[in-house]
Every structure is written in C-alpha cells, then in structure tokens.
Amino acid sequence: MIALDFNLNFLTRDLSLYLENHVKVAFFGSGVGLSLVLGFSAAYVCYYLSSVAKKPQLVTGGEKFCHFLKEHCPVVSETYYPTFWCWEGRIQTLIRPFITAKPWVEYRNEFIKTADGGQISLDWFDNDDSVYYPDTASRPTILLLPGLTGTSRESYILHMIQQSAALGYRMILANYLCQKGRETSLRAAAVFSAGWDVFESTASLEKPLNRFLFNSYLTSCLQASVNRHRQILEKLFDIDHVMKAKTIREFDERFTSIMFGYATYKEYYKAASPCHKLKSVQIPVLCLNAADDVFSPGHAFPVEAAKKNPNIALLLTSHGGHIGFLEGIWPRRSTYMDRVFKQFMQTVIEQGSELENL
C-alpha cells in the first residue's frame, strides 16, 4: 500500500515527474513550457490538499463509541487522500470495478430451502489455513451482505475477504438477514455507501448525467435478474411492462414494490430508507459514506438521527464515490474502505468487550 504521509513537496514532485514523462518533449524544450507545467502542478497540488484531501467527519451518538473508534481504529482520524487523478465521485465509482485487483477466493456453497418455499444460497470462505484461529469452533465469523446487484465475486467483496483472511477470520456471504435487535449473535456491523433516503437516492440518479452513467445500466441489470426467472414470475407480474422500465424508480414501481406487498413505490421507498430506522439500532454500527456519492447524496446523510443513538457512528468523507474510496497513485490493491473494514472488524473481535453497554 502506498504510504499516505503525503506533503506538498512530495505531491509536487510526483505530479511534475508524471507530466514530464507524459507530455511531448518539445513542449518541455522551452523554459516557458516547463514553467507552465510546474506552475500548474503546484497549483493543482495546492487545490488537491485544500479542497480534496481532508480528514473524514466522525459523527457519533455517544462519547464511548467515538473514543473507542479513535483509539483502536486510527483510520477514522486520518486524512483521506483520494487518488489524485480520479478523485471525483462518479469517476471513482466507475473505475473501481475495473482497476482494483480481484483476488482469487474459493467458496464452499451451502444451499438452504426455507419453510415458505424460498431459497437461500450461502458462500462460505472457511479459511481453514488460519494461523491465529486454527480451531474452527473459536474462529471468528464475518457475515458479508453484497449490495443491490452485487455477488460474492465483486471486487470489493473479494478485498474484504482478503483482509479478513489475513486476520484469521472466516466469512459467509448472504443476501438476507433477520431482525433480532440485541438478541442477534452479531457483535457489531459496518455499512458502506448506504443509500440512507431512497427518495433522495433515486432523485440523484435521475439527474441527466447520472441517469446516463448509472441509472439505465442498473435498471437493465435488475431487469436481467427478473428475466432469468421469467417463467415463474410472469404468473404474478406483467413482465413485459417491467422490461420496459427505463429507470430504477419505474422498475421499483412495476416490480419491487409489488413483490414486497406495497401499494405504491412511495410506501416501499419510505419503508426501505434506513434513515428512519437508526433509532432502532441496538448494536454498534460504523457507517462509511462519501459526500459525492450519487447513490447517496451528502445532504441526505442522517447526521442528526445518528447523534441520538450511541450505537451509531457515521464516518463521512468529502470524496470517494459509491464503494470507491480509491487511494494511492495506482489503486490496484487496498482502498480506504478496505482499511476501515479491516481495522474495525479486528477491533470489534479483539477489543469488542469495550463496546458493551454503549
């Protein structure tokens, strides 16, 4: 991982060398050309440090959780330096799946049939080579829940598994989690790039550029999932109507809200917005969001609600996009999100007793 201890001289030198190696030699042949490039480099660095690279904002509902995070998870207090050539949120979101490496992970699949006829598929990473926890009975287990169209092969999931494997933990991936309050066996949870207010999320995604870059593509992905099970679903839904949806909102109106028994998509969106449920959270939860995430715009972050629950901590960065948080000059490996995940998981498992009775 590239060190984060950047300073003005380091960045100026780095950008200058980059420009010198990538701009035609003829341009640098004149003193004016070199002066212009170095001047641009210094100006860009100053802008980057003052406007882009900032410490994240940590919002908690209790001093105990805040102190715990600052003491055991130093990453929450570090300045986040997004990759300087792609720090804008939409670019981070688009580039991350293609630029980050995909570590190989071999899963053990477990298929469960539920009493109501449903099916649950679990992918286990047992980590049988764990040095720190060779006994399977005591090996800590981390439950990972991918996003809306995510799978166990998403690059950010694979990186989380890689981080956890190094600590000796095992992982299980699922798309369903029961609500049990404090009776849950979970010690704590971490949430990344949550769409806190679904109304605001869809409004953001329907802006012209965001619709072109993200909305249409995600809608087609959701439609493909429905189409794969068309023979079963067409008994309950007008699939042709669903397949004509142009936005996620239209898809939810024609399919998702109906599937979950809501009269309108508005009722579904209200029920599906996590911002209304923060007061009910009864275990420690760390939530990482970027203010430039088009899927979860910064003005919709539930800051005031988080301040009222000692179990909630919002870690808010200025940049990072949606499941992006790229850092370093060539962000192939670990991201800022990966480091937050690793430090928090390790701290919860090894220092979790301090979190009791928040």
Side-chain angles (χ1 to χ4, degrees), residues 25-293:
V25 176
F27 180 75
F28 283 99
S30 66
V32 174
L34 182 59
S35 297
L36 286 173
V37 169
L38 292 178
F40 167 79
S41 176
Y44 181 87
V45 169
C46 290
Y47 172 77
Y48 177 89
L49 291 176
S50 63
S51 303
V52 178
K54 296 181 178 179
K55 287 188 176 182
Q57 179 185 6
L58 182 62
V59 180
T60 63
E63 288 298 323
K64 185 175 181 180
F65 198 9
C66 180
H67 177 73
F68 175 86
L69 290 171
K70 289 183 176 180
E71 180 179 1
H72 299 293
C73 300
V75 67
V76 305
S77 300
E78 296 176 0
T79 298
Y80 167 50
Y81 294 91
T83 299
F84 71 86
W85 54 269
C86 66
W87 50 264
E88 200 272 337
R90 282 170 291 209
I91 299 177
Q92 285 237 350
T93 303
L94 289 169
I95 286 181
R96 194 268 314 158
F98 301 101
I99 197 171
T100 54
K102 288 191 174 183
W104 170 251
V105 174
E106 185 174 351
Y107 294 110
R108 172 177 61 85
N109 183 259
E110 180 181 1
F111 192 75
I112 301 174
K113 291 186 176 181
T114 62
D116 62 357
Q119 300 173 347
I120 300 175
S121 179
L122 305 177
D123 282 334
W124 286 86
F125 176 75
D126 295 308
N127 202 11
D128 290 329
D129 296 327
S130 174
V131 176
Y132 302 107
Y133 299 95
D135 183 7
T136 58
S138 61
R139 188 176 303 153
T141 301
I142 296 176
L143 173 67
L144 298 179
L145 305 175
L148 182 62
T149 60
T151 70
S152 56
R153 292 298 174 186
E154 299 294 329
S155 61
Y156 70 92
I157 292 292
L158 298 175
H159 277 259
M160 288 181 179
I161 291 178
Q162 186 181 53
Q163 298 282 352
S164 302
L167 298 172
Y169 311 152
R170 65 178 158 217
M171 278 63 64
I172 176 175
L173 285 93
N175 287 309
Y176 175 80
L177 181 63
C178 295
Q179 298 177 347
K180 292 188 176 181
R182 281 198 172 273
E183 295 181 4
T184 179
S185 58
L186 297 176
R187 291 188 182 182
V191 180
F192 301 102
S193 298
W196 291 106
D197 187 320
V198 183
F199 290 100
E200 296 296 335
S201 294
T202 53
S204 174
L205 287 169
E206 287 175 358
K207 293 179 179 179
L209 182 57
N210 296 338
R211 178 169 176 167
F212 172 74
L213 293 175
F214 305 104
N215 203 327
S216 298
Y217 173 73
L218 285 175
T219 302
S220 65
C221 289
L222 293 169
Q223 290 170 324
S225 298
V226 170
N227 203 41
R228 283 198 297 269
H229 306 284
R230 187 184 186 107
Q231 291 184 342
I232 297 175
L233 295 174
E234 63 185 1
K235 300 174 183 177
L236 302 171
F237 303 92
D238 183 349
I239 301 301
D240 289 336
H241 189 49
V242 173
M243 299 304 291
K244 292 178 181 178
K246 300 298 182 182
T247 65
I248 294 176
R249 187 198 298 266
E250 290 181 357
F251 177 87
D252 289 335
E253 182 179 19
R254 301 174 187 186
F255 181 80
T256 316
S257 59
I258 299 173
M259 181 178 66
F260 288 114
Y262 293 93
T264 66
Y265 81 88
K266 292 182 179 179
E267 291 184 9
Y268 165 59
Y269 278 3
K270 183 177 180 180
S273 296
C275 61
H276 303 306
K277 299 177 173 61
L278 284 186
K279 61 183 179 181
S280 302
V281 174
Q282 299 181 45
I283 62 172
V285 178
L286 175 63
C287 312
L288 174 64
N289 279 92
D292 61 355
D293 181 353

